[in-house]
Amino acid sequence: AGTVHASLPALSDVGGSIGAVVSGSFLWAIGAVNLLVLLDIARLARGLRRGKFDEAALDARLLDRGLMNRSFVGRLFRLVRRSWHLYPLGLLFGLGLDTAGEVALLALSAGSATGQVPVLGALALPLLFAAGMSLMDTADGVFVAKAYGWAFSSPVRKLYYNLAVTGLSVAVALGIGTVELLQAAADRLGFGWAWLDALDLQVLGFAIVGLFALTWLVAAVVWRTRRIEQRWGAALARRAEV
């Protein structure tokens, strides 16, 4: 770490900018693809309110979400036939995540550079990071399992659920991608805004968690107060009778 810092001072600066541009561009691409899917889901929702609904078309459109899902990941998902098949798939995804590796590398680099951090101390950070990720992912998995059980019990719920989820994913992808691209441009071009310089991505991460909770709360309130299931379901039933 000391050698890199002394000999290649521009490496961190240039690498950080490249990483931000790649990450922001990828998020924008995902947001754009999912935005097209969202528009199609909204069109299906308008048809459902008139009593016309093509569930097969919804299923086909949902499979188009995400660039990775449309290419490599979608093929992997089609290989999953039993519950234990999820473990090697999850292991493969874990190998592609660099966040835990980055924390471990930074801790070990700090220890080797200063010589004052013991091995167990250096390993504490990645272990705590893994524990926190496991807790959040487990909670997320339980929530998604419950939500899917609710959503796929009727066509109306399925459409409404995917409308909310896809809209949220578009907002998050485009929002975070825009922030990263603006920060990279400000860093390389030498301009800056006070709000952009003061923006902390860690704080933004907590804001995204809050946005998820707020989205589900608003969606639940709209679902109940607007009586979505009764109104859309009645229109679908009248169409079926005709």
Side-chain angles (χ1 to χ4, degrees), residues 98-117:
D98 61 351
T99 47
E102 287 173 353
V103 173
L105 179 61
L106 289 173
L108 292 175
S109 298
S112 62
T114 62
Q116 299 176 356
V117 179

Side-chain angles (χ1 to χ4, degrees), residues 12-13 29 40 50 99 101 118 165 195:
S12 175
D13 183 37
D40 278 352
R50 296 192 298 266
T99 47
V165 168
W195 66 269

Side-chain angles (χ1 to χ4, degrees), residues 28 40 73 78 89 102 105 112 126 149-150 162 167 178 205 207-208 213 220:
W28 254 89
D40 278 352
V73 177
R78 286 190 286 272
L89 182 62
E102 287 173 353
L105 179 61
S112 62
W150 175 87
N162 283 286
T178 300
I208 291 175

Side-chain angles (χ1 to χ4, degrees), residues 31-51:
V33 171
N34 284 348
L35 179 59
L36 297 177
V37 176
L38 178 63
L39 294 176
D40 278 352
I41 296 177
R43 177 180 55 80
L44 291 172
R46 289 194 298 268
L48 180 60
R49 288 196 295 269
R50 296 192 298 266

